[in-house]
Amino acid sequence: MAACWLLRSLSSNFSTVLPLLARSASLSPLQLASKPYFGRTLASSSRLSAALKFTDKHEWIRVEDGIGTVGISSFAQEALGDVVYCGLPEVGTQLAQQDEFGALESVKAASELYSPLTGEVVEVNTLLADNPGLVNKSCYKDGKYTHKRHSAVRGGYSDICMRHFRLMQELKQN
Amino acid sequence: MSESTMMSQVRRTFSLLNQRACSSSCSRSSSSFFTDSDSAGLVLQSHSTDVYQNLALEDWIDANVDLQGRGVLLLWRNRPAVVIGRHQNPWTECNLPAMRRAGIPLARRRSGGGTVFHDLGNLNLTFFASKKAYDRQRNLKVVTDALRRLRPGLDVQATDRFDILLNGRYKISGTASRLSRKSSYHHCTLLHSADRSTLSSVLRPSCPGIQSNATPSVPSPVANLLDHAPSLQWEELLGALVQQYNTEFDLHSALTVIDPTNESMFPGVGEMEVELRSWDWTFGKTPKFTMETQLELTNEQPPACCSARLQMEVKNGRIESCHLDIPVDWLPVRLSGELSSVLIGERFCPHRAAAAFSALMRSESGATHTRLHRLCDAILTVMG
């Protein structure tokens, strides 16, 4: 199944959140390279981790280039039923982990979306506004949420990794 | 059991069920409370008939009561009101000018679904449960079983869209629900003796030409239970529903009447009510939409007629952009431009638009003033 994204953000808490989220990606036949290149970050690799990680609320996150992409899992979209409405935040919105950032509506059930990350929304999948059914059809690709931006990095990763994040942040700011 | 004993039991139940209020020192007393079967469920009836107070109470229960392993049934009714779903557009769903004239308020609920008309002949039931226990068909079975017990010949069936139909045709109940972080609620209407003519007159669109991705309502023919079971009293209906809820969920809860404005029992409920009454919630949460329509403009002296095209984009209930296409021989371009720009940022509301227009109109006179006035009236009419 292709992956459907909802939003992208630079996050301030990938380091604390991601290690906790590594549930089995058995739902996704689309398993991207799961080896995080921590040791080689400064030198060459632009990908911190391309694995899909899942929260206990059935959202998935993929981190690439310091940007987190958020979507909902196959399990969640099946449980919801046909999605008839998808409301997402504006680019630039600051979100804290667990903040309510949007909503999905399936057959008469309104369900809130909670942010798995802290950060700033940098991109929203605008296709979903007109085509909320994409969340069901391709929950791992076209139905993804938006990306979020890091504002700071906290411990949990190695020093090399932290320097990588800051480097990426500086690069993005220039 | 006296009323005050019941109230203090409800209060105690709420404070024990209230996850936030309960510090760790409370938990030792709650273990004995868990073994009491009455704590597994609560049946409440709201004393209020104010739609905002009742919706606020639902929000409060959803946010504050620990529903893991227990459920709550809330029974309520409202004085006449129109209630739209979380992601709906009031301008397409209901007749706002007719509602204003009749003093019927509009409320937006937090659950999904379509637009309904509430009055004192409509009973609302809210089934609160944990997300694990969320089961709309089971809740609707409580309603249909109760009705069949009351009147064994009654043909009532829940559909796969979670409506309840009478005689396979008439909708007597509609459903909506909300899924929060840990909890859920499923509420439904039940038409006992609602005013059907008011219902059909208010559930019509206000404005033409609206395009949006808001969730649309699915209109259905409706019927009142009283028309098909003339001896079915309101109190009898309530009693049967409470009994069936207890039977279905193996509980022994008595119906307790509560005051949803009681801040000491429901701390913070007043603030929730204020939010639900606000324009920012009711209208401002409308998903963005565009409105495009033709305005027919006529003149008497000299007799003339022309069409103008009006296009607006509305976001968060406010006019984000506005384009007016008017034949230049009817009104100077300068004026149609000024008219459009004066609306930008204003609420999509005929009162606000009228106030914005009046300043513009004061600076014109004669034939221009008359035409401008006509144009403004035409715009106000299509804004509901």
Side-chain angles (χ1 to χ4, degrees):
Chain A
M1 184 190 307
C4 165
W5 63 287
L6 292 163
L7 64 77
R8 293 191 167 108
S9 104
L10 283 186
S11 173
S12 70
N13 70 338
F14 286 144
S15 57
T16 48
V17 167
L18 286 181
L20 303 174
L21 299 181
R23 267 210 300 143
S24 150
S26 57
L27 296 165
S28 168
L30 155 81
Q31 176 67 41
L32 306 176
S34 59
K35 207 158 135 188
Y37 295 94
F38 293 153
R40 296 197 287 130
T41 49
L42 280 182
S44 55
S45 172
S46 62
R47 298 202 311 178
L48 179 67
S49 166
L52 291 190
K53 305 219 185 233
F54 293 83
T55 70
D56 62 353
K57 303 285 175 293
H58 306 293
E59 286 137 354
W60 58 260
I61 305 165
R62 183 176 65 234
V63 179
E64 266 177 315
D65 301 337
I67 302 236
T69 301
V70 183
I72 68 161
S73 71
S74 167
F75 179 84
Q77 65 78 21
E78 266 169 38
L80 273 175
D82 288 341
V83 174
V84 298
Y85 179 82
C86 179
L88 293 172
E90 302 269 299
V91 169
T93 307
Q94 299 290 339
L95 296 173
Q97 192 180 20
Q98 313 253 28
D99 273 358
E100 190 188 299
F101 71 85
L104 294 176
E105 187 174 332
S106 62
V107 182
K108 303 184 221 173
S111 187
E112 310 296 306
L113 295 166
Y114 298 100
S115 177
L117 303 167
T118 298
E120 180 191 320
V121 177
V122 303
E123 194 182 344
V124 175
N125 186 347
T126 51
L127 286 179
L128 295 179
D130 293 331
N131 269 301
L134 279 174
V135 175
N136 298 110
K137 289 188 196 97
S138 56
C139 59
Y140 293 110
K141 183 172 161 239
D142 296 317
K144 323 181 265 205
Y145 298 177
T146 78
H147 293 295
K148 290 195 283 189
R149 184 188 305 277
H150 273 286
S151 52
V153 177
R154 308 270 177 271
Y157 279 157
S158 68
D159 273 351
I160 293 170
C161 175
M162 297 258 294
R163 287 201 291 274
H164 167 72
F165 269 111
R166 289 199 185 106
L167 178 67
M168 292 310 296
Q169 231 178 302
E170 281 155 22
L171 288 174
K172 287 204 182 321
Q173 277 158 11
N174 296 335
Chain B
M1 195 188 277
S2 73
E3 171 122 355
S4 61
T5 312
M6 256 208 283
M7 288 306 281
S8 61
Q9 185 174 78
V10 171
R11 214 172 266 124
R12 188 169 57 100
T13 305
F14 271 123
S15 70
L16 283 164
L17 293 178
N18 184 334
Q19 228 173 5
R20 293 204 199 141
C22 202
S23 67
S24 55
S25 61
C26 284
S27 58
R28 56 173 199 273
S29 58
S30 64
S31 60
S32 58
F33 201 82
F34 282 18
T35 60
D36 177 352
S37 64
D38 283 347
S39 71
L42 269 181
V43 179
L44 306 171
Q45 182 181 354
S46 171
H47 185 254
S48 169
T49 54
D50 178 295
V51 63
Y52 306 106
Q53 288 172 1
N54 287 325
L55 289 173
L57 176 63
E58 272 189 328
D59 282 352
W60 190 95
I61 295 172
D62 184 52
N64 293 288
V65 176
D66 179 8
L67 295 162
Q68 306 308 315
R70 59 177 58 77
V72 177
L73 172 64
L74 174 68
L75 301 169
W76 45 296
R77 63 175 171 170
N78 298 316
R79 294 188 301 279
V82 171
V83 184
I84 57 175
R86 174 67 181 82
H87 304 119
Q88 292 207 292
N89 182 319
W91 292 282
T92 60
E93 295 295 337
C94 56
N95 189 341
L96 294 166
M99 286 162 62
R100 269 197 298 272
R101 285 192 295 272
I104 295 175
L106 173 71
R108 179 187 298 269
R109 58 181 189 263
R110 293 191 191 273
S111 56
T115 302
V116 287
F117 171 72
H118 286 189
D119 69 10
L120 296 174
N122 168 67
L123 175 66
N124 299 303
L125 300 94
T126 309
F127 300 86
F128 295 89
S130 65
K131 273 165 98 162
K132 283 205 178 91
Y134 175 68
D135 187 344
R136 288 171 293 183
Q137 288 295 356
R138 189 177 186 191
N139 297 335
L140 293 180
K141 184 172 176 296
V142 168
V143 180
T144 52
D145 283 354
L147 289 173
R148 287 190 208 111
R149 276 204 184 182
L150 283 170
R151 299 290 183 275
L154 210 57
D155 174 6
V156 284
Q157 287 286 343
T159 68
D160 56 11
R161 281 188 75 248
F162 311 104
D163 291 339
I164 298 179
L165 297 184
L166 179 66
N167 299 340
R169 277 191 67 188
Y170 300 106
K171 185 167 165 179
I172 56 165
S173 167
T175 268
S177 56
R178 178 176 146 94
L179 303 170
S180 309
R181 212 186 302 270
K182 290 198 171 92
S183 58
S184 72
Y185 63 79
H186 160 217
H187 51 202
C188 63
T189 53
L190 188 56
L191 291 174
H192 174 265
S193 48
D195 177 351
R196 284 177 48 199
S197 82
T198 306
L199 184 155
S200 57
S201 73
V202 296
L203 295 187
R204 276 161 210 230
S206 307
C207 303
I210 292 185
Q211 291 283 336
S212 88
N213 59 9
T215 32
S217 293
V218 177
S220 308
V222 296
N224 280 314
L225 278 169
L226 203 59
D227 295 337
H228 295 258
S231 58
L232 181 57
Q233 299 296 316
W234 182 266
E235 294 303 332
E236 197 189 345
L237 178 62
L238 254 68
L241 289 163
V242 173
Q243 187 180 43
Q244 198 60 41
Y245 179 76
N246 279 322
T247 302
E248 178 67 38
F249 294 97
D250 194 26
L251 303 166
H252 303 90
S253 310
L255 178 68
T256 307
V257 177
I258 52 167
D259 172 8
T261 63
N262 185 334
E263 275 287 326
S264 63
M265 190 171 291
F266 310 113
V269 75
E271 217 176 288
M272 292 175 165
E273 184 192 330
V274 165
E275 197 193 343
L276 288 163
R277 282 184 195 279
S278 71
W279 186 93
D280 281 341
W281 173 259
T282 310
F283 291 95
K285 288 294 183 190
T286 306
K288 77 175 184 219
F289 65 92
T290 56
M291 191 263 266
E292 187 166 337
T293 190
Q294 295 276 105
L295 306 170
E296 299 306 323
L297 304 164
T298 55
N299 257 359
E300 271 101 57
Q301 299 291 339
C305 178
C306 79
S307 304
R309 199 180 73 110
L310 173 65
Q311 196 225 28
M312 288 193 199
E313 283 174 3
V314 181
K315 195 165 116 175
N316 301 326
R318 288 181 189 272
I319 298 167
E320 231 190 10
S321 76
C322 178
H323 297 286
L324 260 176
D325 234 323
I326 307 179
V328 296
D329 56 356
W330 202 85
L331 199 75
V333 168
R334 164 190 69 88
L335 273 180
S336 54
E338 275 179 43
L339 205 54
S340 301
S341 67
V342 97
L343 288 175
I344 309 289
E346 287 291 342
R347 291 181 180 178
F348 184 76
C349 160
H351 300 300
R352 295 291 171 114
F357 290 155
S358 62
L360 197 62
M361 292 210 290
R362 272 197 290 275
S363 54
E364 301 298 323
S365 58
T368 309
H369 182 273
T370 310
R371 289 184 178 195
L372 196 56
H373 197 277
R374 288 238 158 103
L375 178 59
C376 291
D377 276 350
I379 297 174
L380 295 179
T381 307
V382 299
M383 284 175 71

